[in-house]
Amino acid sequence: MSIVYLDNNATTPLDPRVLDAMLPYLRDKFGNAASRSHAFGWEAENAVEQAREQVAALIGASAKEIIFTSGATESDNIAVKGVAHMYHDKGNHIIIQETEHKAVIDPAKYLEQNGFEVTVLGVDKYGMVRMDELAGAIKDNTTLVSIMFANNETGTIQPVAEIGKLCKERGVLFHTDAAQAVGKVPIDVEAMGIDLLSVSGHKMYGPKGIGALYVRRKKPRVRCEPVIHGGGHERGMRSGTLNVPAIVGLGTACALAQAEMPEESKRVTALRDRLWEGLSKNLTEIALNGHPEKRLPTTVNVSFLYVEGESLMMGFNDIAVSSGSACTSASLEPSYVLKALGVGDELAHSSIRFSLGRFTTEADVDYTVKRVSDAVNHLRKMSPLYEMALEGIDITKVQWAHH
Ligand SMILES: *Cc1c(COP(=O)(O)O)cnc(C)c1O
């Protein structure tokens, strides 16, 4: 059975051109990039430096400002904990927002347990930070603001340049988790006033287990305490022998994204809108979660009223998507991201995230529209809630049994 893959925000397939670029470094070109005394080392080092240029070019940085890591989780950890610790003498307050990835939330919580003060900002109904709230939250002892570029569940894109400008004016550092945005929307760390930025290889058709952190070197020169201590690789911020094949893969993925972004983003945005319009034409009582326009080309997060997302997914096992319920331990928790937008529990439970990508076709989208519409109609026919709604009963007033 062939499966339509619409879960590209969870991970993307490796672009075959990326694999081709990596293979020599998994075979003959196996040198350690830190070996300075022979050609194997020089060859590996050259490959790493080329990749550093490719990552830097995609975000408007210079190569020296790129640190290779194991992925965006590690980059987020270095940025949040590394900056908080390094600038502890200046202040012990950091600011994040509610819809951050756990890779930012959990390090912030860890800091809070260790004596730091953390402000968690709410978001508006589209998942956007409110600029006046952010401005009001910055204090004399604030050292870092960490707000993601684009959200993984809803695709909402934050006003990053405005945030960067505010942070500059107030003299605080600005980190952005751009795992979902790099390679999909234009990024310029200079124009946007970004001081630190996290990249993930496997969200942009590169390999898993590789990522990067941009750390500004001028105006101001940003410093981070390392999370991993050791041989002093990567300007001392991230020790450990470099994963040369994966770094080559990430560099190639960045070069491809840069070359193809104008065309690809137009094509994928059209597919994204085709999916939403198709569903809206076939079905009533559906809602789009996230910002209607300021949204990633890849992401369509939809609540199907009166239908439970997990059951809906079982209705089309030949389409890979995610639901708005996270299976944490025994219970099904509605997504904390959707809750932060003010989406109620029922609507969060009825949500599906469709995430498109480079290899999604129009046929995939049309098939999905048909399959999902049929499945929703089928489930609604059997749903007592839907019947009640048709009879005009307000289901938000229904008393739910809780576990
Ligand atoms: C996937 C993702 C991460 C984690 O990236 P890894 O490279 O898998 O560690 C962090 N933040 C966001 C927004 C993501 O989508």
Side-chain angles (χ1 to χ4, degrees), residues 72-78 80-81 94 96-111 120 146 148 150-153 175 177 179-180 198 203 326-328 333-340:
T73 299
E74 188 186 329
S75 300
D76 288 346
N77 269 266
I78 298 173
V80 174
K81 293 189 288 194
I94 69 164
I96 67 166
Q97 54 148 14
E98 233 176 323
T99 58
E100 289 301 309
H101 193 273
K102 291 288 185 191
V104 165
I105 292 178
D106 287 357
K109 271 194 205 157
Y110 170 83
L111 288 171
V120 183
S146 181
M148 70 201 321
N151 185 266
N152 42 304
E153 288 191 33
H175 165 247
D177 174 349
Q180 292 292 344
S198 302
K203 303 290 175 73
C327 304
T328 50
E333 287 290 325
S335 143
Y336 70 91
V337 170
L338 295 181
K339 280 180 95 161

Short mmCIF file of all heavy atoms in Angstrom, two decimals, residues 72-78 80-81 94 96-111 120 146 148 150-153 175 177 179-180 198 203 326-328 333-340:
data_model
loop_
_atom_site.label_atom_id
_atom_site.label_comp_id
_atom_site.label_asym_id
_atom_site.label_seq_id
_atom_site.Cartn_x
_atom_site.Cartn_y
_atom_site.Cartn_z
N ALA A 72 17.85 20.61 16.44
CA ALA A 72 17.30 21.84 17.01
C ALA A 72 17.09 21.72 18.52
O ALA A 72 17.17 22.73 19.23
CB ALA A 72 15.99 22.20 16.31
N THR A 73 16.84 20.52 19.02
CA THR A 73 16.67 20.37 20.47
C THR A 73 17.95 20.80 21.18
O THR A 73 17.92 21.57 22.15
CB THR A 73 16.35 18.91 20.83
OG1 THR A 73 15.12 18.55 20.20
CG2 THR A 73 16.20 18.72 22.34
N GLU A 74 19.08 20.32 20.67
CA GLU A 74 20.34 20.71 21.30
C GLU A 74 20.63 22.19 21.09
O GLU A 74 21.07 22.88 22.02
CB GLU A 74 21.49 19.86 20.75
CG GLU A 74 22.77 20.12 21.53
CD GLU A 74 23.98 19.42 20.93
OE1 GLU A 74 23.85 18.34 20.32
OE2 GLU A 74 25.08 19.99 21.08
N SER A 75 20.35 22.70 19.90
CA SER A 75 20.58 24.13 19.64
C SER A 75 19.76 24.98 20.60
O SER A 75 20.26 25.97 21.16
CB SER A 75 20.21 24.47 18.19
OG SER A 75 20.98 23.72 17.28
N ASP A 76 18.50 24.60 20.80
CA ASP A 76 17.64 25.34 21.73
C ASP A 76 18.21 25.29 23.15
O ASP A 76 18.20 26.28 23.88
CB ASP A 76 16.21 24.76 21.73
CG ASP A 76 15.45 25.07 20.44
OD1 ASP A 76 15.89 25.93 19.67
OD2 ASP A 76 14.39 24.43 20.22
N ASN A 77 18.68 24.12 23.55
CA ASN A 77 19.26 23.97 24.89
C ASN A 77 20.49 24.86 25.07
O ASN A 77 20.64 25.50 26.11
CB ASN A 77 19.64 22.50 25.15
CG ASN A 77 18.50 21.73 25.79
OD1 ASN A 77 18.43 21.62 27.01
ND2 ASN A 77 17.58 21.24 24.98
N ILE A 78 21.37 24.88 24.05
CA ILE A 78 22.58 25.71 24.17
C ILE A 78 22.18 27.18 24.23
O ILE A 78 22.70 27.94 25.04
CB ILE A 78 23.54 25.47 22.98
CG1 ILE A 78 24.00 24.02 22.94
CG2 ILE A 78 24.75 26.41 23.06
CD1 ILE A 78 24.83 23.65 21.70
N VAL A 80 19.22 28.64 25.15
CA VAL A 80 18.46 29.08 26.32
C VAL A 80 19.31 28.96 27.60
O VAL A 80 19.50 29.94 28.33
CB VAL A 80 17.14 28.28 26.46
CG1 VAL A 80 16.43 28.64 27.76
CG2 VAL A 80 16.24 28.57 25.25
N LYS A 81 19.85 27.78 27.84
CA LYS A 81 20.64 27.59 29.07
C LYS A 81 22.00 28.27 28.95
O LYS A 81 22.49 28.86 29.92
CB LYS A 81 20.82 26.10 29.36
CG LYS A 81 19.49 25.42 29.71
CD LYS A 81 19.68 24.01 30.21
CE LYS A 81 20.09 23.07 29.09
NZ LYS A 81 19.96 21.64 29.48
N ILE A 94 14.45 35.48 31.93
CA ILE A 94 14.30 35.22 30.49
C ILE A 94 12.81 35.17 30.15
O ILE A 94 11.97 34.96 31.02
CB ILE A 94 15.00 33.92 30.04
CG1 ILE A 94 14.29 32.68 30.59
CG2 ILE A 94 16.48 33.91 30.43
CD1 ILE A 94 14.69 31.40 29.88
N ILE A 96 9.92 33.56 27.39
CA ILE A 96 9.55 32.67 26.28
C ILE A 96 8.05 32.85 26.04
O ILE A 96 7.43 33.69 26.67
CB ILE A 96 9.89 31.17 26.56
CG1 ILE A 96 9.03 30.62 27.70
CG2 ILE A 96 11.37 31.01 26.89
CD1 ILE A 96 9.06 29.10 27.81
N GLN A 97 7.47 32.06 25.15
CA GLN A 97 6.02 32.11 25.01
C GLN A 97 5.45 30.70 25.07
O GLN A 97 6.15 29.71 24.91
CB GLN A 97 5.62 32.83 23.73
CG GLN A 97 6.28 32.23 22.51
CD GLN A 97 5.45 32.32 21.28
OE1 GLN A 97 4.49 33.05 21.21
NE2 GLN A 97 5.84 31.54 20.29
N GLU A 98 4.13 30.67 25.29
CA GLU A 98 3.45 29.43 25.61
C GLU A 98 3.52 28.36 24.53
O GLU A 98 3.46 27.18 24.82
CB GLU A 98 1.96 29.76 25.84
CG GLU A 98 1.40 29.28 27.14
CD GLU A 98 -0.05 29.76 27.30
OE1 GLU A 98 -0.38 30.90 26.88
OE2 GLU A 98 -0.84 28.98 27.81
N THR A 99 3.59 28.78 23.25
CA THR A 99 3.50 27.80 22.17
C THR A 99 4.87 27.34 21.68
O THR A 99 4.97 26.74 20.62
CB THR A 99 2.73 28.40 20.97
OG1 THR A 99 3.40 29.59 20.56
CG2 THR A 99 1.30 28.74 21.35
N GLU A 100 5.91 27.63 22.45
CA GLU A 100 7.25 27.14 22.08
C GLU A 100 7.26 25.62 22.02
O GLU A 100 6.46 24.94 22.67
CB GLU A 100 8.29 27.60 23.11
CG GLU A 100 8.59 29.08 23.08
CD GLU A 100 9.12 29.54 21.73
OE1 GLU A 100 10.07 28.93 21.22
OE2 GLU A 100 8.57 30.51 21.20
N HIS A 101 8.22 25.09 21.28
CA HIS A 101 8.49 23.65 21.30
C HIS A 101 9.02 23.27 22.69
O HIS A 101 9.60 24.10 23.37
CB HIS A 101 9.54 23.35 20.23
CG HIS A 101 9.71 21.91 19.90
ND1 HIS A 101 10.56 21.09 20.61
CD2 HIS A 101 9.14 21.14 18.94
CE1 HIS A 101 10.51 19.87 20.08
NE2 HIS A 101 9.66 19.87 19.08
N LYS A 102 8.81 22.01 23.08
CA LYS A 102 9.30 21.55 24.38
C LYS A 102 10.81 21.75 24.53
O LYS A 102 11.32 21.85 25.64
CB LYS A 102 8.97 20.06 24.58
CG LYS A 102 7.48 19.79 24.76
CD LYS A 102 6.97 20.25 26.11
CE LYS A 102 5.51 19.85 26.31
NZ LYS A 102 4.92 20.51 27.49
N ALA A 103 11.51 21.81 23.40
CA ALA A 103 12.97 21.98 23.45
C ALA A 103 13.37 23.36 23.97
O ALA A 103 14.52 23.58 24.33
CB ALA A 103 13.58 21.74 22.08
N VAL A 104 12.41 24.29 24.01
CA VAL A 104 12.64 25.60 24.63
C VAL A 104 11.95 25.64 26.00
O VAL A 104 12.51 26.12 26.98
CB VAL A 104 12.13 26.75 23.73
CG1 VAL A 104 12.03 28.06 24.50
CG2 VAL A 104 13.06 26.91 22.53
N ILE A 105 10.73 25.10 26.07
CA ILE A 105 9.96 25.16 27.32
C ILE A 105 10.68 24.42 28.45
O ILE A 105 10.82 24.93 29.56
CB ILE A 105 8.54 24.58 27.11
CG1 ILE A 105 7.74 25.50 26.18
CG2 ILE A 105 7.82 24.41 28.45
CD1 ILE A 105 6.34 24.99 25.86
N ASP A 106 11.17 23.22 28.15
CA ASP A 106 11.77 22.42 29.22
C ASP A 106 13.09 22.99 29.74
O ASP A 106 13.29 23.03 30.95
CB ASP A 106 11.88 20.95 28.80
CG ASP A 106 10.51 20.25 28.77
OD1 ASP A 106 9.51 20.91 29.15
OD2 ASP A 106 10.43 19.08 28.38
N PRO A 107 13.99 23.47 28.87
CA PRO A 107 15.17 24.16 29.40
C PRO A 107 14.79 25.39 30.24
O PRO A 107 15.42 25.65 31.26
CB PRO A 107 15.94 24.58 28.14
CG PRO A 107 15.55 23.58 27.12
CD PRO A 107 14.11 23.24 27.42
N ALA A 108 13.75 26.11 29.83
CA ALA A 108 13.32 27.29 30.60
C ALA A 108 12.81 26.86 31.98
O ALA A 108 13.11 27.49 32.99
CB ALA A 108 12.25 28.07 29.84
N LYS A 109 12.03 25.76 32.00
CA LYS A 109 11.54 25.23 33.29
C LYS A 109 12.70 24.80 34.17
O LYS A 109 12.69 25.01 35.38
CB LYS A 109 10.65 24.00 33.04
CG LYS A 109 9.20 24.30 32.82
CD LYS A 109 8.42 22.99 32.95
CE LYS A 109 7.12 23.05 32.18
NZ LYS A 109 6.64 21.70 31.84
N TYR A 110 13.69 24.18 33.54
CA TYR A 110 14.88 23.74 34.27
C TYR A 110 15.58 24.93 34.91
O TYR A 110 15.98 24.89 36.07
CB TYR A 110 15.81 22.98 33.32
CG TYR A 110 17.17 22.69 33.91
CD1 TYR A 110 17.37 21.58 34.74
CD2 TYR A 110 18.25 23.52 33.64
CE1 TYR A 110 18.61 21.32 35.28
CE2 TYR A 110 19.49 23.26 34.19
CZ TYR A 110 19.67 22.17 35.00
OH TYR A 110 20.90 21.92 35.55
N LEU A 111 15.68 26.02 34.14
CA LEU A 111 16.32 27.22 34.68
C LEU A 111 15.50 27.77 35.86
O LEU A 111 16.06 28.18 36.88
CB LEU A 111 16.43 28.30 33.60
CG LEU A 111 17.47 28.06 32.50
CD1 LEU A 111 17.33 29.09 31.39
CD2 LEU A 111 18.89 28.06 33.07
N VAL A 120 6.41 33.46 30.85
CA VAL A 120 5.85 32.74 29.70
C VAL A 120 4.70 33.57 29.15
O VAL A 120 3.66 33.71 29.80
CB VAL A 120 5.35 31.33 30.09
CG1 VAL A 120 4.85 30.59 28.86
CG2 VAL A 120 6.46 30.54 30.78
N SER A 146 13.21 34.29 23.95
CA SER A 146 13.23 33.17 23.00
C SER A 146 11.82 32.95 22.46
O SER A 146 10.93 32.52 23.19
CB SER A 146 13.75 31.90 23.69
OG SER A 146 13.78 30.83 22.76
N MET A 148 9.79 31.42 18.97
CA MET A 148 10.01 30.63 17.76
C MET A 148 9.65 31.41 16.49
O MET A 148 8.83 32.31 16.52
CB MET A 148 9.22 29.32 17.83
CG MET A 148 7.73 29.48 17.70
SD MET A 148 6.77 28.08 18.37
CE MET A 148 7.67 26.66 17.91
N ALA A 150 8.40 29.94 13.51
CA ALA A 150 7.11 29.43 13.03
C ALA A 150 6.75 28.21 13.85
O ALA A 150 7.62 27.41 14.20
CB ALA A 150 7.20 29.06 11.56
N ASN A 151 5.46 28.09 14.15
CA ASN A 151 5.03 27.00 15.02
C ASN A 151 4.86 25.69 14.26
O ASN A 151 4.32 25.65 13.16
CB ASN A 151 3.72 27.37 15.73
CG ASN A 151 3.32 26.32 16.74
OD1 ASN A 151 2.56 25.43 16.43
ND2 ASN A 151 3.87 26.42 17.93
N ASN A 152 5.29 24.61 14.89
CA ASN A 152 5.24 23.29 14.27
C ASN A 152 3.83 22.73 14.14
O ASN A 152 3.56 21.94 13.25
CB ASN A 152 6.13 22.32 15.05
CG ASN A 152 6.00 22.46 16.54
OD1 ASN A 152 6.20 23.54 17.10
ND2 ASN A 152 5.64 21.39 17.21
N GLU A 153 2.91 23.12 15.01
CA GLU A 153 1.55 22.57 14.94
C GLU A 153 0.63 23.39 14.04
O GLU A 153 -0.16 22.83 13.28
CB GLU A 153 0.94 22.47 16.34
CG GLU A 153 1.58 21.37 17.16
CD GLU A 153 0.82 21.09 18.44
OE1 GLU A 153 -0.42 21.23 18.47
OE2 GLU A 153 1.49 20.75 19.43
N HIS A 175 16.72 34.96 20.78
CA HIS A 175 16.89 33.63 20.16
C HIS A 175 15.58 33.22 19.50
O HIS A 175 14.50 33.45 20.04
CB HIS A 175 17.23 32.57 21.23
CG HIS A 175 17.07 31.16 20.74
ND1 HIS A 175 16.09 30.31 21.23
CD2 HIS A 175 17.73 30.46 19.77
CE1 HIS A 175 16.17 29.15 20.59
NE2 HIS A 175 17.15 29.21 19.71
N ASP A 177 13.77 29.75 17.62
CA ASP A 177 13.77 28.36 17.16
C ASP A 177 13.15 28.37 15.76
O ASP A 177 11.95 28.54 15.62
CB ASP A 177 12.95 27.51 18.14
CG ASP A 177 12.78 26.07 17.67
OD1 ASP A 177 13.12 25.77 16.51
OD2 ASP A 177 12.31 25.25 18.48
N ALA A 179 13.36 25.88 13.49
CA ALA A 179 13.39 24.52 12.92
C ALA A 179 12.38 24.35 11.79
O ALA A 179 12.65 23.67 10.80
CB ALA A 179 13.14 23.49 14.01
N GLN A 180 11.20 24.98 11.93
CA GLN A 180 10.16 24.81 10.91
C GLN A 180 10.27 25.85 9.79
O GLN A 180 9.58 25.73 8.77
CB GLN A 180 8.77 24.91 11.54
CG GLN A 180 8.42 23.77 12.47
CD GLN A 180 8.25 22.43 11.77
OE1 GLN A 180 8.11 22.36 10.54
NE2 GLN A 180 8.27 21.36 12.53
N SER A 198 18.03 28.51 15.85
CA SER A 198 18.18 27.05 15.82
C SER A 198 17.70 26.47 14.50
O SER A 198 16.65 26.85 13.98
CB SER A 198 17.37 26.41 16.95
OG SER A 198 17.77 26.92 18.20
N LYS A 203 14.10 18.54 9.31
CA LYS A 203 12.87 19.25 8.96
C LYS A 203 12.99 19.91 7.59
O LYS A 203 12.07 20.56 7.13
CB LYS A 203 12.56 20.32 10.02
CG LYS A 203 12.43 19.81 11.45
CD LYS A 203 11.19 19.00 11.67
CE LYS A 203 11.11 18.37 13.05
NZ LYS A 203 10.82 19.29 14.13
N ALA A 326 -2.06 14.76 22.04
CA ALA A 326 -0.76 14.13 22.24
C ALA A 326 -0.96 12.96 23.19
O ALA A 326 -1.57 13.10 24.25
CB ALA A 326 0.22 15.13 22.84
N CYS A 327 -0.52 11.80 22.78
CA CYS A 327 -0.64 10.63 23.65
C CYS A 327 0.44 10.71 24.72
O CYS A 327 1.56 10.25 24.52
CB CYS A 327 -0.46 9.33 22.87
SG CYS A 327 -1.59 9.16 21.51
N THR A 328 0.13 11.36 25.82
CA THR A 328 1.09 11.40 26.92
C THR A 328 0.64 10.41 27.97
O THR A 328 -0.50 10.45 28.41
CB THR A 328 1.17 12.80 27.56
OG1 THR A 328 -0.15 13.23 27.84
CG2 THR A 328 1.81 13.80 26.62
N GLU A 333 -4.06 13.96 25.99
CA GLU A 333 -4.11 15.38 26.35
C GLU A 333 -4.30 16.19 25.07
O GLU A 333 -3.60 15.98 24.09
CB GLU A 333 -2.78 15.79 27.00
CG GLU A 333 -2.58 15.27 28.41
CD GLU A 333 -3.51 15.94 29.39
OE1 GLU A 333 -3.80 17.13 29.22
OE2 GLU A 333 -3.97 15.24 30.31
N PRO A 334 -5.22 17.15 25.10
CA PRO A 334 -5.30 18.03 23.93
C PRO A 334 -4.03 18.86 23.81
O PRO A 334 -3.38 19.15 24.81
CB PRO A 334 -6.51 18.90 24.22
CG PRO A 334 -6.76 18.81 25.67
CD PRO A 334 -6.19 17.51 26.15
N SER A 335 -3.68 19.23 22.60
CA SER A 335 -2.44 19.95 22.34
C SER A 335 -2.34 21.26 23.14
O SER A 335 -3.26 22.07 23.13
CB SER A 335 -2.39 20.27 20.84
OG SER A 335 -1.83 21.53 20.62
N TYR A 336 -1.22 21.45 23.84
CA TYR A 336 -1.05 22.69 24.62
C TYR A 336 -0.92 23.90 23.70
O TYR A 336 -1.22 25.01 24.11
CB TYR A 336 0.15 22.58 25.58
CG TYR A 336 1.51 22.57 24.91
CD1 TYR A 336 2.22 23.75 24.68
CD2 TYR A 336 2.10 21.38 24.51
CE1 TYR A 336 3.47 23.74 24.06
CE2 TYR A 336 3.35 21.35 23.90
CZ TYR A 336 4.02 22.54 23.68
OH TYR A 336 5.26 22.53 23.08
N VAL A 337 -0.48 23.66 22.47
CA VAL A 337 -0.36 24.77 21.52
C VAL A 337 -1.75 25.28 21.15
O VAL A 337 -2.04 26.48 21.21
CB VAL A 337 0.42 24.34 20.26
CG1 VAL A 337 0.34 25.41 19.18
CG2 VAL A 337 1.88 24.05 20.61
N LEU A 338 -2.65 24.36 20.79
CA LEU A 338 -4.00 24.78 20.42
C LEU A 338 -4.71 25.39 21.62
O LEU A 338 -5.44 26.37 21.49
CB LEU A 338 -4.79 23.59 19.86
CG LEU A 338 -4.25 23.02 18.54
CD1 LEU A 338 -5.13 21.88 18.06
CD2 LEU A 338 -4.16 24.10 17.46
N LYS A 339 -4.49 24.83 22.81
CA LYS A 339 -5.11 25.40 24.01
C LYS A 339 -4.66 26.85 24.22
O LYS A 339 -5.46 27.70 24.61
CB LYS A 339 -4.76 24.56 25.25
CG LYS A 339 -5.63 23.32 25.38
CD LYS A 339 -5.28 22.51 26.60
CE LYS A 339 -6.17 22.83 27.78
NZ LYS A 339 -6.12 21.75 28.80
N ALA A 340 -3.38 27.11 23.95
CA ALA A 340 -2.85 28.48 24.12
C ALA A 340 -3.54 29.47 23.18
O ALA A 340 -3.66 30.65 23.48
CB ALA A 340 -1.35 28.50 23.89
#
